Amino acid sequence: MAGRIVKVAGPLVVADGMEDARMNDVVLVSDEELVGEIIELKGARASIQVYEETAGIAPGQPVVTTGRPLSVELGPGLIESIYDGIQRPLNVILQKTGDFIERGTAVPALDRERKWPFEPAARVGDRVGAGDLLGTVRETVLVQTRIQVPPGVEGELVSISDGEFTVTEPVAVLKAPAGETAVTMIQTWPVRRPRPYRRRLSPNEPLKTGQRVIDSLFPLAKGGTACIPGPFGSGKTVVQHQLAKWADASIIVYVGCGERGNEMTDVLREFPRLKDPRSGEPLIRRTVLIANTSNMPVAAREASIYTGMTIAEYFRDMGLHVALMADSTSRWAEALREISGRQEEMPGEEGYPAYLATRVAEFYERSGRVETLGGGEREGTLSVIGAVSPPGGDLSDPVVQASLKVVKVFWGLDDKLAYRRHFPAINWLSSYSLYLDNLQDYFEEKIASGWTALRTRAMTILQKEDDLLEIARLVGRDSLEPSDRLLLETAKMIREDFLHQNAFHAEDQYTSLEKQHLILKGVVDLHESSAAALERGISLKTVLSVPERRRMSGIASLAEERLGEMARTVEEALRAVENLVEAAAGPVAGSTGGEADG
Amino acid sequence: MVKEYLTVSEVSGPLLVVNGVTGVGYEELVEVELASGETRPGKVLEVSDKAALVQLFGRSTGVSAFSTKVRFLGRGLRLALSQDVLGRVFDGLGRVHDGGPDVVPEEFRDINGRPINPCARDYPSEFIETGISSIDGLNTLVRGQKLPIFSGAGLPHGRLAAQIARQARVPGQERDFAVVFAAMGITFEEADFFIGDLRAAGALERAVLFINLASDPAIERIAAPRVALTAAEYLAFERGMHVLVILSDMTSYCEALREVSASRKEIPGRRGYPGYLYTDLSTLYERAGRITGREGSITQIPILTMPDDDKTHPVPDLTGYITEGQIILQRDLHRRGIYPPVAVLPSLSRLRDKGIGPRKTRADHPNLANQLFAAYALGKEAEELALILGESALSDLDRIYLRFTQAFEGRFLSQGEDENRSIGETLDIGWELLRPIPEEELRRLSPEEIEKYLRGAQEEEEGG
Ligand SMILES: Nc1ncnc2c1ncn2[C@@H]1O[C@H](COP(=O)(O)OP(=O)(O)O)[C@@H](O)[C@H]1O
Ligand SMILES: [Mg+2]
């Protein structure tokens, strides 16, 4: 039975006669069958957010419910796909409707024709339940998709196949008291409902991003959450792209939410060319893209975040490390605000609906390190990184504030740094990571003992620099003590030679933790031995003009393979300073005394 | 199918409520006929089973509840297009405005366009030489980019835009850009200056002008950029032309949008602008770009004036979040006689890195640009310090940076309105300016570049 449209206001359509519909049902609007979702139901009157352009839609036209909530298709074929906000494959739409997107195009998310090689891993007679492994499909060189029993299904395996199948052909049959269930490689799952897992664990391993300021100073844990707020042009998208490229996750889900079309094109063109530093394979082979660019329908923006999240959870449930980037969560919140405004709901702060903070929290809460369902004690992680775009860069913005309440890592972008082209423009004084304690053991044991102390030393120098610069602004730099001026030089080295990292430089864009440790330790050790030299009466000028010191500044952009060479450069610089001290000590023995500088 | 009603029940600002309509669609084009026989266009903003809310593209003066006829045309506002639009002048709604004949249409296009599929886009990466150092050297424009000029009242954005339109070319390609210009709420003089400049450059035959002046109905401005971009899309993607679109002034456009929103009594966002301003602007700016397999391109240079020179005002703020960078003009530089007064530090071209370097401009371009930025930023800090403490309190290094900054503003930023610098000249000036800075300070440069461009050059000078 069809309802009738009674009102059209932008992406919001109101329909009457919807007796058979339920809250959050997907509906088809008008004869063009535009996809929408019921977001409010009062008696038989439904408010519907329509995921497509509504121009020309008129009262009186029909609305039919599908009886299902907004769901995604999960199965082989997700990797390397680019979807719109409600999981329609944009590359297939391109084939169907050309360069400009037409509305009302119905295309399944997963290819129905393509056959996948299914290798069974379970045996007839096995008792299996949700999350148990049935078999695997080699989807790309980088991803072996596990075909698992979907949540809510269990029984005894009465048959299992071996060979090539489409996603809709059964690969196994389970028998339960209630009857037999044929299992295919495809699952559908409602996007607004988190997928289940056995239990949540606390994160204990860093998500290695290859970004020095992140890994060494403000690390994110696998299964953790981070947000990157900043004004336009401060580097949110570049950071997100860098993470999508270099983070050591098995699967990347990148949600372009209300941002530029060209940024998605950039990913589409670059990722097939860029090689994963660990496997040497093209990065696209582990990537799923969701694109609702700013000129695409606004209601689908609201959905895009959940579409991405559900796909990410699906891979997490296979026991993989998954990272989801959402650029930008502000556009999602604005979509929420726009729909809420059209519904004439009571506005909260800045016009956002009162439930904004709850929605933000629910979103980030879908991250985590978990023990998955099914046998084999698998652990999966889902890390979530959200960009936030506050008006005028003002951090009191409700979306920033709601995010800060839940995320554990804050990378604060600073437009002053961006103006100087210090990138990534992550402010080292205001940013923080609450995972330092969780990750301490990992860094100390797996990378280098003394890691934590080194970080503290570096942070202390940066903090001290800020204080000293404040003083220097009042009295002039030359009136500072030599030891303070040395500190300023060291802080500059940390900033320029370590924290600054050019995303567009072939060698500089990614740095292993080993190399990060080597550089940072080199700079801090050099500082300490130089400070010792000052105490022995050697002049600042002499210490700073050691030629080996200057050579250290280039090492960040040396290739990873040249780690040995970098270590030598650091050693030589340290030795050169020590030699100064020895040379100064020499004449004392010969009892001439006096200043070493001569 | 056209439906006609005589049931206007309410008029408020540019909005009409028409009762008892049936089968009227959202966004549908409306024609309102006054008792005098005069017609005015409008569109449906909201429609229910009882009434349609119609926004006129113009004044509602003379509309009456009894004698005004409202016709719903069953389609959106369309623009008649053919190659013959080139060289013509239209009003903000795309109606002929130069006294010439109507365009014999080859096709009609809905002015709202449709989103380009991200899979169909081709990433813009061809360097456009504008001949302006502060743009080419540091905030490079590429073909298919959307790069706005953030200006302020009384700053020379009009002259800068005209200079870009006159000089822009892709090195190695002799084809000129076609220019689509949409004037929104600017004065007669401003529009006339721009048109005169195009005429003097002999560029009027490859230009299409859409003119809505400050004295024209404000609401017409809501259609103007859409109409202009529809023409641009046609020329670029059907006719294979490289189109430069100049939209001036986006702030007036946004004000018109705010007026409609206020008449609708919508919940206002920041400074009274509607909450959907971001989405609205993105449907304009995202109509720039390149499409794989199609010849042409759309490069957009929207111009906006920042009220009170405030970059955090919603119009520049939301624009900056959508466009691929921004060229910011600064009053202080202007006052000191520097033309073009581009504040290079807060300016940005997000596509720069894809458009410069070996085979595009020069291999030394990326690092040189980064080094100039870094040095200028330090120089500006030194300048500030000198203001507080006096120049004598500066360290030697600070003084070097201070002198660099003065030279940079005087020789790199500053240039003539007719001065068309090649990218080679621009980069060479940059190297020359860096020479007085101690080598160990120049951390954005590779040792090879220092050797080649700084030490090498010094020896040559000394030798010769
Ligand atoms: N790590 C980086 N290395 C080099 N350039 C960068 C880096 N981060 C940002 N940028 C520069 O800053 C510009 C703006 O960054 P972007 O991430 O697009 O900003 P946002 O998303 O915050 O608006 C980029 O186009 C690039 O030129
Ligand atoms: Mg961005």
Side-chain angles (χ1 to χ4, degrees), chain A residues 393-406:
Chain A
D394 177 0
L395 296 185
S396 68
D397 163 67
V399 187
V400 175
Q401 287 305 315
S403 305
L404 288 181
K405 264 188 223 137
V406 283

PDB file of all heavy atoms in Angstrom, chain A residues 393-406:
ATOM      1  N   GLY A 393      37.479  28.390  12.680  1.00  0.00           N
ATOM      2  CA  GLY A 393      38.502  27.696  13.447  1.00  0.00           C
ATOM      3  C   GLY A 393      38.287  27.750  14.945  1.00  0.00           C
ATOM      4  O   GLY A 393      39.186  27.436  15.725  1.00  0.00           O
ATOM      5  N   ASP A 394      37.091  28.140  15.349  1.00  0.00           N
ATOM      6  CA  ASP A 394      36.809  28.371  16.760  1.00  0.00           C
ATOM      7  C   ASP A 394      36.479  27.057  17.481  1.00  0.00           C
ATOM      8  O   ASP A 394      35.464  26.411  17.189  1.00  0.00           O
ATOM      9  CB  ASP A 394      35.633  29.350  16.842  1.00  0.00           C
ATOM     10  CG  ASP A 394      35.198  29.618  18.259  1.00  0.00           C
ATOM     11  OD1 ASP A 394      35.798  29.056  19.197  1.00  0.00           O
ATOM     12  OD2 ASP A 394      34.239  30.394  18.429  1.00  0.00           O
ATOM     13  N   LEU A 395      37.327  26.695  18.432  1.00  0.00           N
ATOM     14  CA  LEU A 395      37.180  25.387  19.072  1.00  0.00           C
ATOM     15  C   LEU A 395      36.004  25.289  20.048  1.00  0.00           C
ATOM     16  O   LEU A 395      35.720  24.216  20.559  1.00  0.00           O
ATOM     17  CB  LEU A 395      38.477  24.990  19.789  1.00  0.00           C
ATOM     18  CG  LEU A 395      39.702  24.775  18.889  1.00  0.00           C
ATOM     19  CD1 LEU A 395      40.881  24.261  19.704  1.00  0.00           C
ATOM     20  CD2 LEU A 395      39.411  23.827  17.738  1.00  0.00           C
ATOM     21  N   SER A 396      35.320  26.406  20.271  1.00  0.00           N
ATOM     22  CA  SER A 396      34.146  26.293  21.140  1.00  0.00           C
ATOM     23  C   SER A 396      32.933  25.780  20.360  1.00  0.00           C
ATOM     24  O   SER A 396      31.855  25.596  20.919  1.00  0.00           O
ATOM     25  CB  SER A 396      33.823  27.649  21.779  1.00  0.00           C
ATOM     26  OG  SER A 396      33.373  28.536  20.771  1.00  0.00           O
ATOM     27  N   ASP A 397      33.132  25.527  19.090  1.00  0.00           N
ATOM     28  CA  ASP A 397      32.086  24.978  18.229  1.00  0.00           C
ATOM     29  C   ASP A 397      31.497  23.698  18.834  1.00  0.00           C
ATOM     30  O   ASP A 397      32.235  22.869  19.361  1.00  0.00           O
ATOM     31  CB  ASP A 397      32.742  24.702  16.862  1.00  0.00           C
ATOM     32  CG  ASP A 397      31.937  23.769  15.993  1.00  0.00           C
ATOM     33  OD1 ASP A 397      30.844  24.169  15.582  1.00  0.00           O
ATOM     34  OD2 ASP A 397      32.393  22.647  15.739  1.00  0.00           O
ATOM     35  N   PRO A 398      30.164  23.534  18.764  1.00  0.00           N
ATOM     36  CA  PRO A 398      29.533  22.373  19.405  1.00  0.00           C
ATOM     37  C   PRO A 398      30.052  21.021  18.894  1.00  0.00           C
ATOM     38  O   PRO A 398      30.146  20.074  19.673  1.00  0.00           O
ATOM     39  CB  PRO A 398      28.048  22.519  19.042  1.00  0.00           C
ATOM     40  CG  PRO A 398      27.857  23.942  18.681  1.00  0.00           C
ATOM     41  CD  PRO A 398      29.161  24.467  18.208  1.00  0.00           C
ATOM     42  N   VAL A 399      30.405  20.935  17.621  1.00  0.00           N
ATOM     43  CA  VAL A 399      30.873  19.640  17.101  1.00  0.00           C
ATOM     44  C   VAL A 399      32.259  19.321  17.674  1.00  0.00           C
ATOM     45  O   VAL A 399      32.540  18.185  18.063  1.00  0.00           O
ATOM     46  CB  VAL A 399      30.909  19.631  15.558  1.00  0.00           C
ATOM     47  CG1 VAL A 399      31.218  18.231  15.045  1.00  0.00           C
ATOM     48  CG2 VAL A 399      29.588  20.124  14.987  1.00  0.00           C
ATOM     49  N   VAL A 400      33.116  20.337  17.762  1.00  0.00           N
ATOM     50  CA  VAL A 400      34.440  20.125  18.365  1.00  0.00           C
ATOM     51  C   VAL A 400      34.260  19.699  19.815  1.00  0.00           C
ATOM     52  O   VAL A 400      34.844  18.708  20.275  1.00  0.00           O
ATOM     53  CB  VAL A 400      35.291  21.415  18.317  1.00  0.00           C
ATOM     54  CG1 VAL A 400      36.606  21.213  19.058  1.00  0.00           C
ATOM     55  CG2 VAL A 400      35.553  21.840  16.880  1.00  0.00           C
ATOM     56  N   GLN A 401      33.442  20.442  20.531  1.00  0.00           N
ATOM     57  CA  GLN A 401      33.276  20.159  21.945  1.00  0.00           C
ATOM     58  C   GLN A 401      32.693  18.769  22.173  1.00  0.00           C
ATOM     59  O   GLN A 401      33.156  18.024  23.040  1.00  0.00           O
ATOM     60  CB  GLN A 401      32.392  21.233  22.604  1.00  0.00           C
ATOM     61  CG  GLN A 401      33.117  22.565  22.769  1.00  0.00           C
ATOM     62  CD  GLN A 401      34.423  22.429  23.543  1.00  0.00           C
ATOM     63  OE1 GLN A 401      34.474  21.764  24.573  1.00  0.00           O
ATOM     64  NE2 GLN A 401      35.500  23.021  23.038  1.00  0.00           N
ATOM     65  N   ALA A 402      31.703  18.399  21.364  1.00  0.00           N
ATOM     66  CA  ALA A 402      31.113  17.060  21.518  1.00  0.00           C
ATOM     67  C   ALA A 402      32.152  15.993  21.199  1.00  0.00           C
ATOM     68  O   ALA A 402      32.194  14.942  21.850  1.00  0.00           O
ATOM     69  CB  ALA A 402      29.896  16.916  20.602  1.00  0.00           C
ATOM     70  N   SER A 403      33.031  16.252  20.231  1.00  0.00           N
ATOM     71  CA  SER A 403      34.056  15.271  19.878  1.00  0.00           C
ATOM     72  C   SER A 403      35.088  15.148  20.989  1.00  0.00           C
ATOM     73  O   SER A 403      35.491  14.046  21.362  1.00  0.00           O
ATOM     74  CB  SER A 403      34.772  15.669  18.580  1.00  0.00           C
ATOM     75  OG  SER A 403      33.832  15.851  17.547  1.00  0.00           O
ATOM     76  N   LEU A 404      35.519  16.294  21.516  1.00  0.00           N
ATOM     77  CA  LEU A 404      36.559  16.259  22.550  1.00  0.00           C
ATOM     78  C   LEU A 404      36.105  15.505  23.797  1.00  0.00           C
ATOM     79  O   LEU A 404      36.920  14.968  24.531  1.00  0.00           O
ATOM     80  CB  LEU A 404      36.985  17.684  22.920  1.00  0.00           C
ATOM     81  CG  LEU A 404      37.820  18.391  21.847  1.00  0.00           C
ATOM     82  CD1 LEU A 404      38.215  19.784  22.304  1.00  0.00           C
ATOM     83  CD2 LEU A 404      39.054  17.584  21.490  1.00  0.00           C
ATOM     84  N   LYS A 405      34.805  15.476  24.000  1.00  0.00           N
ATOM     85  CA  LYS A 405      34.314  14.745  25.171  1.00  0.00           C
ATOM     86  C   LYS A 405      34.539  13.251  25.038  1.00  0.00           C
ATOM     87  O   LYS A 405      34.606  12.536  26.027  1.00  0.00           O
ATOM     88  CB  LYS A 405      32.816  15.006  25.352  1.00  0.00           C
ATOM     89  CG  LYS A 405      32.580  16.111  26.353  1.00  0.00           C
ATOM     90  CD  LYS A 405      31.117  16.234  26.664  1.00  0.00           C
ATOM     91  CE  LYS A 405      30.758  17.698  26.695  1.00  0.00           C
ATOM     92  NZ  LYS A 405      29.526  18.024  26.039  1.00  0.00           N
ATOM     93  N   VAL A 406      34.625  12.756  23.815  1.00  0.00           N
ATOM     94  CA  VAL A 406      34.730  11.300  23.667  1.00  0.00           C
ATOM     95  C   VAL A 406      36.059  10.806  23.116  1.00  0.00           C
ATOM     96  O   VAL A 406      36.467   9.700  23.434  1.00  0.00           O
ATOM     97  CB  VAL A 406      33.575  10.737  22.799  1.00  0.00           C
ATOM     98  CG1 VAL A 406      32.310  10.680  23.612  1.00  0.00           C
ATOM     99  CG2 VAL A 406      33.366  11.520  21.526  1.00  0.00           C
TER     100      VAL A 406
END
